[in-house]
Amino acid sequence: MTLLSKRNDKAGSDRVCPVTGLKDIHKPQWAYRNDHGSYQVSFRVLGKRIMLSRNVGYATYDDMVKAIEVADRVEAEGMAEGCPCVHIQDFTDLEGISIEARKLYIKNITNHERIRCMIFFGVSSMFKMSINLAKRINIIHFDTYIVDSQDEA
């Protein structure tokens, strides 16, 4: 499987986000692609407190372990130390996630001390249902929103 990007992002570029006006930072080391080419994730930092991730393909448990490692690196290198933050998740090109990877992801975000808000866009109906269920049973300790586009996020 080949993963195709629908965007022309320059790796390592520093630019200004046209929506927020905040500095938009992306570094090559803030990305992960598995050896099979079936999953990749890349991260950007807007300002110093917003992390944007773009997920493509199908994520397994091992992929999620690596994605979390990269997210931790992004947080350490690009975000304001110790400050609350917002995570924006682009799932537009995410084809799916294994049950084991989903459990690890949920454990990671529910134990994350700094997240104050998480915004999802491009989510499938199944993911919307899962997110709304998590909100209802109160396993997420921060505000969570599902929107239609990055501009809305």
Side-chain angles (χ1 to χ4, degrees), residues 8-141:
N8 290 327
D9 292 340
K10 290 182 180 178
S13 66
D14 287 1
R15 55 188 186 176
V16 175
C17 174
V19 176
T20 64
L22 297 171
K23 188 172 184 178
D24 179 354
I25 304 166
H26 175 238
K27 297 181 180 182
Q29 63 268 29
W30 292 356
Y32 163 76
R33 180 183 173 129
N34 69 16
D35 293 336
H36 312 293
S38 58
Y39 175 75
Q40 68 184 25
V41 61
S42 59
F43 295 88
R44 309 183 85 77
V45 174
L46 303 176
K48 284 288 189 182
R49 294 189 181 189
I50 302 171
M51 181 188 303
L52 171 63
S53 71
R54 180 167 180 269
N55 299 265
V56 178
Y58 183 86
T60 65
Y61 178 86
D62 291 337
D63 294 327
M64 189 56 59
V65 168
K66 294 293 187 183
I68 291 169
E69 288 173 5
V70 176
D72 290 345
R73 183 180 323 128
V74 172
E75 197 170 294
E77 293 176 4
M79 300 185 75
E81 188 175 339
C83 293
C85 61
V86 173
H87 285 213
I88 301 173
Q89 305 278 334
D90 178 357
F91 286 172
T92 304
D93 297 313
L94 184 65
E95 296 171 8
I97 181 171
S98 72
I99 293 170
E100 297 83 12
R102 187 175 298 135
K103 288 178 184 177
L104 178 61
Y105 174 77
I106 292 168
K107 180 180 177 184
N108 181 65
I109 64 169
T110 56
N111 293 326
H112 199 292
E113 298 286 326
R114 293 179 56 188
I115 299 175
R116 294 298 175 263
C117 178
M118 188 166 282
I119 303 169
F120 298 89
F121 70 93
V123 295
S124 68
S125 298
M126 183 62 134
F127 272 117
K128 283 182 186 178
M129 190 171 58
S130 297
I131 293 164
N132 287 326
L133 178 62
K135 286 168 57 173
R136 284 185 187 215
I137 62 175
N138 222 11
I139 63 171
I140 299 175
H141 65 276

